[in-house]
Amino acid sequence: MTDHSPLLGGLSPARFLADHWQKKPLLARNALPGFTTPISPNELAGLACEETVESRIVLERGGPQPWALETGPFDEDRFARLPDTHWTLLVQECNRYLPELAALLESFNFIPNWRVDDVMVSYAPTHGSVGPHMDQYDVFLIQGLGQRRWQISTDPVTDDNVIPGIDLRIMRDFQPTDEWVLAPGDMLYLPPGVAHYGVALDDCMTFSVGFRTPTVSELLTGFLDELAGRLDERQRYHDPDLPLQAHPGEITAGARTRIRRIIRDALADDAAIDQWFGRYITENKSGQSAEPPEHPLTADAFLQRLRDADALWRSEDARFAFIDDGADDITLFVDGQAWPVPRTLTEAVATLCDRRRLTPGDFGAALRDATFIQLLGQLYNAGYLELPQEHNA
């Protein structure tokens, strides 16, 4: 990305991160010049009929109650029975199904890749909406078809400001502080906690690039679950220096000190936390695993195929990240697994984690390193890397 990109309304990535990221909204007109939707409304509806695709329909009107929620997969005739207005179809993880949307994520490489969640695509006819609401994650809303009016409120949202008795957390009272109409190519960035209300002004498609924000509860329970699973049960509370105490019902200062020490010592292993987090944050949350090729390849055969294809894609069913903690090896994390890699291959591994679309030339001299070729072959055989002609076959 250039220092002053239209994607960010003329701001540099550094300026955007300093002034807007998780702080305040940003409207970028013509953020993606010439952007057109890579999927039609009918094709999106077809995706929503697939068993493995997460999809929803929100009906403001025409359902059993206002703001009725239906979850997919849907039968084809469901779409024929929808009203003419006031509904929205939402399909998650469309970057898994459309290479164009996987490539779109490259535009957001100024944010760490491990923070990326997915690209959700929504279609709505006139007046379609999911209601005024607030999300707890960062999102870039890209207009792909038609026009949508966005209203936002930067006022605090109280926990009780929701319509009772429905499946969605839609605000009961929404007073906008700003309003814009977005056309194809326009983009609106919203940080967590900003209430927003989008309404389709005509047949409308919006592409939402969302970013993961794990809760503190998820992080703590995730690490503690792993920690508990690898502790030896023979490690127990012990107090061989137990003194006689005046009150047997008292938890003494000495006992409390021992308990605190046990817990603090268990949580003080920074390397264990780092390794756990690398696995945790690259796990596939959708439950859809990468699909290995029908015929595994040797490292040499893979290298030849790679050179013939002159392109390499990362599977959208796998997340990639790495940690360099100064040790002899760096650690590559893919789909919840850890792969130690010699430090001499740091640049090649960083390239692999930084970009979704690659060519052999991007790896430089590493493609003459037997260890790196073997690593790429293993990742290919696991389904984490794809050769594009095979992906499109």
Side-chain angles (χ1 to χ4, degrees), residues 85-145:
T85 64
H86 292 87
W87 60 271
T88 300
L89 169 67
L90 307 104
V91 180
Q92 300 289 153
E93 295 187 306
C94 285
N95 50 297
R96 292 181 55 219
Y97 316 114
L98 297 168
E100 298 90 341
L101 295 185
L104 174 66
L105 289 173
E106 300 278 9
S107 300
F108 297 90
N109 268 355
F110 55 94
I111 299 167
N113 285 342
W114 63 264
R115 290 291 309 275
V116 173
D117 191 358
D118 72 339
V119 181
M120 181 185 74
V121 181
S122 66
Y123 165 77
T126 304
H127 303 307
S129 174
V130 297
H133 65 285
M134 178 191 69
D135 296 316
Q136 294 293 348
Y137 54 83
D138 302 88
V139 63
F140 294 86
L141 301 162
I142 303 167
Q143 194 62 26
L145 175 71

Side-chain angles (χ1 to χ4, degrees), residues 22 31 44 58 64 117 125 165 194 213 248 252 260 272 279 306 320 341:
Q22 298 211 327
L44 188 69
V58 176
D117 191 358
V194 174
T213 53
T252 64
R260 289 195 294 262
R279 294 191 300 272
L306 173 60
F320 287 62
V341 182

Side-chain angles (χ1 to χ4, degrees), residues 27-32 141-144 181-188:
L27 174 68
R29 294 290 186 191
N30 206 25
L32 293 165
L141 301 162
I142 303 167
Q143 194 62 26
V181 173
L182 270 62
D186 293 343
M187 185 178 74
L188 177 63

